[in-house]
């Protein structure tokens, strides 16, 4: 493209030697990794099945895989690091108490809007929680009042039925006499 100033190379690039992959290794490393994970999962499932059938297995071998379990049981791997004088923080890496307080004050001043936003969010959550609790309380009170009204209605119904029955018996007694 002449407007951008780009020009194709005049010479063809040198050929790059393509190295052969080791035997048994796939070119797609993602596929290889997925197959390894699948095989590891299959082995763990098989060990779990054997354990469920009563076979005695080492718990470490079950969880880690045989090679990893042996490395774990043999002892801590890697090198142990010792803490020495060179590991102490430098004088300019640790703040003095007054510097720390000043830094905290500056941070709070710079992030005042964020702190207000967080406080507003917390207030809103508390209000919502209180509103839900109040609504639940009112619903429980309404349910209790409804039960009481139903009991009163049932009581009145029973009284009126009893009164009707007594009046009926009284009429029958009068008519017999």
């Amino acid at each position: 493209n002449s407007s951008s100033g780009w020009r194709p190379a005049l010479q063809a690039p040198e050929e790059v030697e393509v190295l052969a992959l080791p035997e048994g290794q796939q070119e797609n490393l993602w596929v290889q990794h997925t197959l390894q994970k699948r095989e590891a999962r299959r082995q763990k499932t098989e060990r779990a099945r054997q354990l469920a059938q009563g076979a005695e297995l080492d718990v470490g071998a079950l969880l880690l895989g045989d090679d990893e379990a042996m490395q774990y049981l043999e002892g801590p791997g890697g090198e142990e690091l010792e803490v020495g004088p060179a590991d102490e923080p430098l004088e300019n890496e640790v703040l003095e108490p007054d510097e720390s307080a000043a830094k905290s004050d500056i941070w709070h001043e710079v992030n005042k809007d964020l702190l207000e936003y967080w406080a507003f969010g917390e207030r809103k959550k508390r209000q919502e929680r209180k509103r839900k609790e109040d609504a639940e309380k009112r619903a429980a009170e309404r349910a209790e009042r409804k039960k009481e009204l139903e009991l009163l209605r049932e009581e009145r119904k029973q009284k009126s039925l009893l009164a009707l029955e007594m009046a009926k018996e009284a009429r029958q007694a009068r008519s017999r006499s």
Side-chain angles (χ1 to χ4, degrees), residues 21-35:
L21 292 171
E23 191 173 316
Q25 185 174 0
Q26 296 181 0
E27 187 171 340
N28 189 334
L29 297 179
W30 182 82
V31 171
Q32 184 178 1
H33 176 70
T34 303
L35 291 174

Side-chain angles (χ1 to χ4, degrees), residues 145-159:
R145 278 187 295 210
K146 186 176 178 180
K147 283 182 184 179
E148 289 174 1
L149 285 174
E150 288 175 6
L151 287 174
L152 282 173
R153 286 180 185 148
E154 187 64 30
E155 233 177 80
R156 286 181 185 166
K157 186 177 176 182
Q158 292 295 329
K159 284 182 181 179

Side-chain angles (χ1 to χ4, degrees), residues 84-103:
D87 295 320
E88 291 295 320
L90 300 176
E91 191 173 310
N92 62 351
E93 292 179 334
V94 179
L95 296 177
E96 295 292 325
D98 57 335
E99 293 173 325
S100 179
K103 183 177 180 178

Side-chain angles (χ1 to χ4, degrees), residues 3-177:
S3 64
S4 66
W6 179 84
R7 291 187 176 174
L10 299 176
Q11 297 178 359
E14 294 180 30
E15 283 195 32
V16 178
E17 181 183 349
V18 178
L19 300 175
L21 292 171
E23 191 173 316
Q25 185 174 0
Q26 296 181 0
E27 187 171 340
N28 189 334
L29 297 179
W30 182 82
V31 171
Q32 184 178 1
H33 176 70
T34 303
L35 291 174
Q36 288 173 348
K37 283 180 18 181
R38 188 178 297 154
E39 179 61 22
R41 193 171 36 241
R42 188 196 63 75
Q43 288 176 359
K44 286 181 181 180
T45 304
E46 181 61 30
R47 285 191 201 103
R49 188 176 296 121
Q50 289 173 359
L51 182 64
Q53 293 173 352
E56 292 187 23
L57 292 175
D58 179 21
V59 175
L62 179 66
L63 295 176
L64 302 173
D66 297 327
D67 295 338
E68 293 175 1
M70 290 307 297
Q71 290 174 0
Y72 177 77
L73 294 174
E74 288 174 0
E79 61 183 73
E80 292 187 21
L81 300 175
E82 295 182 20
V83 178
D87 295 320
E88 291 295 320
L90 300 176
E91 191 173 310
N92 62 351
E93 292 179 334
V94 179
L95 296 177
E96 295 292 325
D98 57 335
E99 293 173 325
S100 179
K103 183 177 180 178
S104 176
D105 292 342
I106 291 170
W107 187 93
H108 283 82
E109 183 62 33
V110 169
N111 294 301
K112 187 177 183 179
D113 295 339
L114 181 62
L115 293 170
E116 289 173 357
Y117 176 75
W118 287 345
F120 174 74
E122 286 299 317
R123 263 195 321 274
K124 193 172 179 181
K125 285 180 185 178
R126 277 196 306 272
Q127 289 171 349
E128 183 65 23
R129 197 176 315 123
K130 183 170 176 19
R131 188 188 64 74
K132 283 182 180 180
E133 289 172 358
D134 291 345
E136 289 172 359
K137 188 176 179 181
R138 284 192 305 272
E141 289 173 354
R142 280 194 302 265
E144 185 65 30
R145 278 187 295 210
K146 186 176 178 180
K147 283 182 184 179
E148 289 174 1
L149 285 174
E150 288 175 6
L151 287 174
L152 282 173
R153 286 180 185 148
E154 187 64 30
E155 233 177 80
R156 286 181 185 166
K157 186 177 176 182
Q158 292 295 329
K159 284 182 181 179
S160 61
L161 287 175
L162 184 62
L164 285 173
E165 198 172 306
M166 288 176 65
K168 187 178 179 182
E169 286 177 9
R171 269 190 242 133
Q172 288 176 352
R174 271 189 255 139
S175 66
R176 283 187 229 157
S177 38

